[in-house]
Amino acid sequence: MRSEDHDALHAFVESRRTALFRSAFLLCGDRHEAEDLVQTTLVKVVLGGRRHGRLDNIEAYARKTLVNTFIAARRRFWRREQAYGELPERAVEAADTDTGLAVRAALARLTPRQRAVLVLRYWEDLSVEATAATLGMRENTVKSHTARGLAALRAEMAEVLV
């Protein structure tokens, strides 16, 4: 890897870690899992940069890697198992409005692909075309996941806010 590419990759990791964490938190809904997701993503981005020599669009590569890593983790069988013997210790979260909590809870109940589409479209502010390219799906699929995800969020929020 050239020195310029190494410096660019290092600068990217330093500058975009927080933004990737925010997206990861919206995808998975858990701070610790989001930190693990970002760490795994950044390792894959650095290794991909070394393997491919030069990445033309590091931002898009990192975003796609983040979403793909999240979706792959949700497919694993062991991720679905939960022990109920003891409740885990959780740090006290910063104060948040009830609506924000309700939206994140409703977002967590969506399918991983719907959640990924909504986060990329409305949090990352990507176009339909860019979201489709990032997720490797057709634009019509992105539109249908968006419509179904928003409908599910609206239905959940209607129940909460009534």
Side-chain angles (χ1 to χ4, degrees), residues 13-151:
V13 168
E14 289 298 319
S15 67
R16 297 300 294 162
R17 180 186 309 239
T18 304
L20 287 172
F21 173 76
R22 280 187 234 125
S23 294
F25 182 77
L26 287 172
L27 286 170
C28 63
D30 179 65
R31 179 179 178 80
H32 300 292
E33 187 179 349
E35 289 171 351
D36 291 344
L37 185 58
V38 169
Q39 186 67 30
T40 302
T41 298
L42 291 176
V43 167
K44 289 180 179 183
V45 168
V46 169
L47 292 176
R50 289 182 180 162
R51 184 174 43 246
H52 299 302
R54 181 165 187 251
L55 296 173
D56 292 331
N57 191 344
I58 297 174
E59 178 75 30
Y61 183 76
R63 197 177 304 121
K64 183 170 187 168
T65 302
L66 178 77
V67 171
N68 287 343
T69 303
F70 166 73
I71 291 172
R74 296 295 174 179
R75 288 184 182 145
R76 293 189 190 113
F77 178 72
W78 60 268
R79 274 290 292 141
R80 289 182 236 144
E81 293 182 11
Q82 295 183 2
Y84 293 103
E86 295 179 29
L87 293 175
E89 286 187 34
R90 296 210 179 213
V92 176
E93 295 185 24
D96 198 355
T97 64
D98 292 338
T99 304
L101 292 171
V103 169
R104 282 196 289 276
L107 192 61
R109 287 189 282 277
L110 296 177
T111 66
R113 287 206 179 265
Q114 286 176 347
R115 194 173 330 152
V117 167
L118 292 179
V119 168
L120 290 175
R121 289 280 292 124
Y122 298 105
W123 180 258
E124 294 286 334
D125 200 26
L126 295 182
S127 65
V128 172
E129 298 81 18
T131 302
T134 299
L135 296 175
M137 57 177 63
R138 295 186 346 222
E139 291 178 20
N140 288 339
T141 305
V142 169
K143 291 176 186 177
S144 66
H145 278 306
T146 301
R148 289 184 190 126
L150 287 175

